[in-house]
Amino acid sequence: MKLQLTETAQRLIQEHATEIYPDECCGFLYGHETEVRLVQETVPVINSKNGDKRRRFEISPVDYMRAEKYALENNTSLLGVYHSHPDHPARPSEHDLNQAVPYFSYIIVSVREGKVADLTSWQLNEANQFEEESILQNQNFIHHN
Amino acid sequence: MAKIIIPTPLRKFTGNQATIETNGSNVLESLQSLAETHPEIKKHIFDDAGQVRKFVRLYLGDEDIKALQNEQTAVQENSVISIIPAIAGGSK
């Protein structure tokens, strides 16, 4: 599993994650899939979780319906979601795993003290476990911050 | 009778079809009809007891079926049911 992000897509995810810190941010990933999964566009959505948003995120069903509709109307594919882990590693938690759905890429951004520290991407495998996707471009993004 | 919109993560179980026409007079029957024609999708919608999974939300048009008559909500010929996976998580 390989993932590629356009520079703009990556920058917008990072900006959203630092802007919302210390809460968790979330948003959708759109693009196309050939040999690699290319994320061309990201759309931020409101973290609709009731209560503590620093350790949890949730996307409302209505926002999810809009995201599917957007993909259909704009000839693109909904490839997954991103969210941030404020002051935690960019690794999926058990909570992330419990709620994960097949096919989607889950990009996780670790934000430490308000700055992006790491960005990873994950996808469920056949055994229903997260497997890390290699990110093909912009590996040096941290230094651009 | 209703049309079901399949969320992207489940389309591999419907041969990449985004919408499926179903039979049935209510939401539950429509979902059962979908599971009959596309058996691989069944475990992603129903649990072992045959109940709709906890992390699956169902909307009829723009309304949550929980605000209607739940799975017993009647559907018409032009009804559109959306299957919505819960998208959630967090660092701990």
Side-chain angles (χ1 to χ4, degrees):
Chain A
M1 294 181 281
K2 288 176 181 169
L3 189 94
Q4 194 168 12
L5 288 153
T6 63
E7 278 188 35
T8 307
Q10 187 161 307
R11 181 171 49 80
L12 291 175
I13 292 173
Q14 291 172 224
E15 284 176 1
H16 190 202
T18 51
E19 185 191 325
I20 299 297
Y21 178 90
D23 285 344
E24 291 197 5
C25 73
C26 51
F28 289 105
L29 310 170
Y30 300 92
H32 292 97
E33 186 156 17
T34 51
E35 283 176 19
V36 298
R37 188 169 267 201
L38 176 63
V39 175
Q40 295 163 305
E41 190 183 357
T42 68
V43 175
V45 283
I46 289 171
N47 179 351
S48 68
K49 178 71 189 173
N50 283 327
D52 192 355
K53 293 180 172 57
R54 290 175 302 176
R55 297 285 169 264
R56 287 281 188 275
F57 84 96
E58 200 174 297
I59 293 177
S60 78
V62 171
D63 279 337
Y64 184 85
M65 277 202 294
R66 285 191 188 127
E68 291 281 9
K69 198 173 166 194
Y70 179 86
L72 287 172
E73 286 172 354
N74 289 278
N75 193 30
T76 185
S77 297
L78 186 57
L79 297 175
V81 293
Y82 69 86
H83 74 282
S84 59
H85 281 182
D87 297 314
H88 275 76
R91 301 191 64 79
S93 66
E94 201 169 327
H95 191 67
D96 286 329
L97 180 64
N98 287 340
Q99 308 223 32
V101 294
Y103 177 78
F104 271 179
S105 288
Y106 286 83
I107 287 181
I108 302 177
V109 193
S110 168
V111 185
R112 301 264 180 196
E113 295 177 352
K115 287 189 174 159
V116 170
D118 199 5
L119 184 148
T120 58
S121 186
W122 307 78
Q123 203 182 128
L124 285 182
N125 62 19
E126 294 296 320
N128 229 30
Q129 297 298 311
F130 270 124
E131 222 169 272
E132 188 166 3
E133 296 181 300
S134 48
I135 297 177
L136 290 182
Q137 220 183 3
N138 311 330
Q139 295 289 359
N140 59 343
F141 72 97
I142 296 164
H143 308 295
H144 293 167
N145 244 3
Chain B
M1 287 188 296
K3 182 166 81 176
I4 299 187
I5 297 180
I6 310 297
T8 307
L10 299 185
R11 280 182 205 160
K12 68 174 175 178
F13 307 116
T14 60
N16 277 329
Q17 293 179 85
T19 60
I20 302 282
E21 299 286 344
T22 58
N23 295 311
S25 62
N26 61 33
V27 171
L28 182 62
E29 288 175 11
S30 304
L31 292 171
Q32 288 166 340
S33 162
L34 170 69
E36 272 170 34
T37 53
H38 299 86
E40 283 189 67
I41 208 171
K42 192 174 179 181
K43 66 173 181 178
H44 295 281
I45 298 174
F46 295 106
D47 62 20
D48 293 341
Q51 303 292 312
V52 174
R53 284 194 171 280
K54 192 176 144 198
F55 293 138
V56 169
R57 300 283 289 272
L58 296 162
Y59 270 59
L60 185 65
D62 291 332
E63 285 209 71
D64 190 335
I65 63 161
K66 284 181 184 164
L68 304 168
Q69 285 82 48
N70 253 314
E71 283 94 354
Q72 301 304 320
T73 304
V75 297
Q76 315 298 326
E77 200 135 325
N78 57 353
S79 296
V80 178
I81 299 167
S82 295
I83 297 173
I84 302 167
I87 303 296
S91 62
K92 257 188 167 174

